Amino acid sequence: MAATIDYSKLRIVPDADTREWWEAARQHKYLVRRCNRCGHKWFPPNIPACSKCTSMDVGWSETAGKGVIHSYVVVVQPVVGAFVGAVPYVVALIELDDCKEEDGTVTRVAGVLTNEESEVAIGLPCTVLFEETADPKIVMPRWRISGGAEKTWTFE
Ligand SMILES: [Zn+2]
């Protein structure tokens, strides 16, 4: 498995906006924010108002943690010490399968893949997985490619 992250070098402190999200991750559930007025969904969760209807009445929506790679980057220069042993690693922008809205809006999330760059392509399906860390309160979502696709594209 590629991209071993040293989570001991990260200091993750859930706050009022993210506490429920981290608690769900600990239970291996992947949440996105949902507007209680219009149903719009988004990520990351620390944006406190709906970008469609401006309501601040927001809640959560549990997703299946499945999506398709919309784009990706290969990180070769780690900015954070926790990732020094992980480079090169792939960060993907993932369109969640169950977060498509009637007007075409799709919720996208970023995630570090467990796959090597040579395995990654735009259009491939992927699934969330959850990695335990030394801190029992923090479980980290990662993503892995879960199948093939008829039409894919890669940066070359
Ligand atoms: Zn809304």
Side-chain angles (χ1 to χ4, degrees):
M1 182 180 290
T4 301
I5 300 167
D6 182 357
Y7 293 113
S8 71
K9 293 183 177 174
L10 294 176
R11 184 166 181 270
I12 298 169
V13 181
D15 61 19
D17 292 325
T18 62
R19 189 169 294 114
E20 289 175 75
W21 190 86
W22 286 109
E23 176 56 30
R26 204 169 62 79
Q27 298 171 32
H28 295 195
K29 296 176 181 175
Y30 197 92
L31 303 183
V32 294
R33 274 286 191 204
R34 188 195 69 232
C35 174
N36 290 330
R37 183 197 288 171
C38 76
H40 177 54
K41 297 174 186 172
W42 69 90
F43 193 87
N46 58 345
I47 301 169
C50 176
S51 64
K52 282 193 173 175
C53 75
T54 70
S55 173
M56 294 189 77
D57 179 11
V58 299
W60 299 97
S61 180
E62 183 179 346
T63 77
K66 297 179 185 305
V68 172
I69 297 174
H70 177 74
S71 190
Y72 66 92
V73 294
V74 180
V75 179
V76 295
Q77 181 67 47
V79 175
V80 178
F83 292 87
V84 167
V87 291
Y89 63 91
V90 180
V91 178
L93 189 60
I94 300 155
E95 292 188 342
L96 296 176
D97 292 344
D98 53 4
C99 293
K100 295 177 180 171
E101 300 174 25
E102 288 181 13
D103 66 358
T105 303
V106 180
T107 304
R108 295 178 180 140
V109 301
V112 179
L113 298 183
T114 60
N115 300 83
E116 302 279 353
E117 177 185 1
S118 60
E119 303 171 293
V120 178
I122 290 170
L124 289 176
C126 54
T127 303
V128 74
L129 59 97
F130 294 90
E131 287 187 344
E132 305 295 323
T133 71
D135 181 345
K137 295 188 297 296
I138 301 296
V139 172
M140 190 66 71
R142 294 280 301 271
W143 294 81
R144 68 167 178 265
I145 294 170
S146 56
E150 275 186 36
K151 193 172 179 182
T152 62
W153 190 87
T154 59
F155 297 99
E156 294 191 34

